[in-house]
Amino acid sequence: MTSSVFPAAHPLQSYGWDDAWADEFAPYDAEGLLAGRVVRVDRGQCDVVTADGVLRADTAFVTPHDPLRVVCTGDWVAVEPAGNPRYVRTYLPRRTAFVRSTSSKRSEGQILAANVDYAVIAVSLAVELELGRVERFLALAWESGAQPVVVLTKADLVPDPVTLGHLVQDVETTAPGVAVLPVSAGTGDGLDVLAAVLSGGTTVLLGQSGAGKSTLANALIGEDVMHVQAAREVDGKGRHTTTTRNLLALPGGGVLIDTPGLRGVGLWDAESGVGQVFAEIEELAADCRFHDCAHVAEPGCAVLTALESGALPERRLDSYRKLLRENQRIVAKTDARLRTEIRRDWKRKGAEGKAAMEAKRGR
């Protein structure tokens, strides 16, 4: 059964519109407001793709003191049909949200993108792998509710297939339950596999400056829509090619949100995300003698036993401890009640949206 708000062939479907969003928007449709998806935010204004095309709108009505409730790229919004300026009245409840902590001493959360299904973490093979940074990005991705995918960019710089295989294996060990895809935007190797994975939803592209994100985005889209700058040879880092978050439709289906290169990736209430990144440590911890084991010197610690036997690499345990400590500091500085309220709302809406899509596929 097709939504009464939009017919089956409505152009917003290519941007992720579905029956569940139509149901959420129904009250605003009755008020005569336009539905649209935010494709770019810039200094209190945003570009919104609607059935009438891309509109420029002011976000003054939706600019609270809480930085997690501002309009962001990927939001579905209700926009005034006319006006100068034209205003965004509200955004629909988010299914997922990418949040990192800011560099401010207040440790506020900063929302990067909303309503994302896949998180592509771009890691350049032009420089030595930083597995700890990969784990940090993975924790951010898992906590958001999206499915992470690690893409090893510039794979053509590793022509030996054995060496490339070892690098892929190293990252797979770091990213349990996550697809790891070597890709070369220059030669096109691996792009078809990646495009097929991303065709079913909204993807956010994350990574450091110089990781090749904009080049990858251009290759997936099939044209040079993102400006590209060369990375420094000494360390593979580049300037911020992308300065805003842009949502772009992919020719094979799905949409892509490219983000500026992130020099700092601070966690924000990401305990469950850290747990998923280090699933093997969490499983070991379940067998510890004491339920509150700190895995330092306690008797009967299954984690330390695995460490001593070599089954658990020391680097993994050190990284796990570091991210947990960082997350605990952030949690201690933020408003736990507000945080819990926001997370509960996201998870509820995400579950409802997924259930609606599964029911639609089953019909």
Side-chain angles (χ1 to χ4, degrees), residues 120 122 151 153 183-188 191-192 194-195 198 205 211-230 241-242 246-252 255-259:
V120 167
V151 172
T153 64
V183 169
S184 170
T187 65
L191 281 175
D192 54 343
L194 178 59
L198 307 184
L205 192 51
K213 294 189 288 73
S214 293
T215 301
L216 182 61
N218 287 337
L220 288 168
I221 294 165
E223 56 182 299
D224 292 339
V225 294
M226 306 303 296
H227 179 60
V228 176
Q229 293 179 338
T241 297
T242 306
N246 302 279
L247 187 147
L248 306 160
L250 296 174
V255 292
L256 179 71
I257 299 174
D258 192 16
T259 64

Side-chain angles (χ1 to χ4, degrees), residues 20-362:
W21 288 124
D23 291 341
E24 288 282 358
F25 187 75
Y28 306 107
D29 180 59
E31 294 178 24
L33 298 176
L34 294 176
R37 194 164 195 191
V38 177
V39 298
R40 185 172 181 269
V41 178
D42 182 26
R43 299 178 183 178
Q45 292 190 314
C46 63
D47 294 333
V48 183
V49 60
T50 73
D52 295 341
V54 178
L55 308 176
R56 188 72 167 166
D58 196 298
T59 63
F61 282 166
V62 200
T63 309
H65 295 297
D66 178 9
L68 296 181
R69 298 188 186 276
V70 298
V71 172
C72 76
T73 304
D75 272 328
W76 285 99
V77 295
V79 185
E80 293 177 344
N84 188 20
R86 189 191 306 259
Y87 288 97
V88 171
R89 287 288 186 86
T90 188
Y91 62 81
L92 302 185
R94 294 160 177 160
R95 294 179 184 174
T96 62
F98 275 83
V99 181
R100 69 166 177 172
S101 66
T102 65
S103 58
S104 70
K105 293 183 180 180
R106 291 180 294 177
S107 299
E108 294 176 332
Q110 177 191 22
I111 188 159
L112 301 178
N115 303 312
V116 173
D117 302 296
Y118 303 102
V120 167
I121 300 166
V123 180
S124 173
L125 291 180
V127 293
E128 185 176 353
L129 288 176
E130 293 185 54
L131 296 179
R133 185 172 292 275
V134 174
E135 289 162 343
R136 179 178 291 273
F137 272 110
L138 285 169
L140 179 74
W142 279 125
E143 187 65 34
S144 75
Q147 171 64 48
V149 178
V150 178
V151 172
L152 303 180
T153 64
K154 308 180 185 181
D156 54 298
L157 298 181
V158 188
D160 178 23
V162 175
T163 301
L164 181 59
H166 287 315
L167 291 171
V168 171
Q169 188 175 31
D170 286 344
V171 179
E172 286 176 338
T173 302
T174 301
V178 175
V180 179
L181 305 175
V183 169
S184 170
T187 65
D189 289 345
L191 281 175
D192 54 343
V193 176
L194 178 59
V197 171
L198 307 184
S199 63
T202 297
T203 299
V204 65
L205 192 51
L206 304 169
Q208 282 186 286
S209 300
K213 294 189 288 73
S214 293
T215 301
L216 182 61
N218 287 337
L220 288 168
I221 294 165
E223 56 182 299
D224 292 339
V225 294
M226 306 303 296
H227 179 60
V228 176
Q229 293 179 338
R232 299 189 304 232
E233 291 184 4
V234 63
D235 56 9
K237 294 180 180 178
R239 297 175 183 174
H240 290 314
T241 297
T242 306
T243 56
T244 58
R245 296 168 189 90
N246 302 279
L247 187 147
L248 306 160
L250 296 174
V255 292
L256 179 71
I257 299 174
D258 192 16
T259 64
L262 302 176
R263 289 196 179 95
V265 189
L267 303 183
W268 189 85
D269 192 20
E271 183 177 356
S272 64
V274 173
Q276 284 180 274
V277 177
F278 299 93
E280 81 278 25
I281 298 179
E282 299 268 303
E283 290 175 6
L284 288 168
D287 293 329
C288 290
R289 180 182 303 176
F290 303 107
H291 68 86
D292 58 348
C293 184
H295 321 307
V296 177
E298 295 85 347
C301 175
V303 173
L304 294 180
T305 298
L307 183 68
E308 292 167 1
S309 69
L312 175 65
E314 186 173 359
R315 190 206 66 78
R316 285 283 283 174
L317 182 57
D318 288 344
S319 184
Y320 174 68
R321 288 168 170 165
K322 178 182 179 181
L323 292 181
L324 278 184
R325 286 195 302 269
E326 176 184 326
N327 191 68
Q328 288 166 355
R329 287 196 298 269
I330 294 297
V331 169
K333 292 180 180 180
T334 55
D335 186 331
R337 181 193 59 77
L338 176 62
R339 213 176 47 247
T340 301
E341 174 189 332
I342 293 172
R343 288 294 187 199
R344 185 185 299 117
D345 186 53
W346 288 343
K347 290 179 179 179
R348 178 176 64 83
K349 291 300 179 184
E352 291 175 355
K354 289 177 182 177
M357 286 302 294
E358 289 173 1
K360 183 177 180 180
R361 293 191 188 102

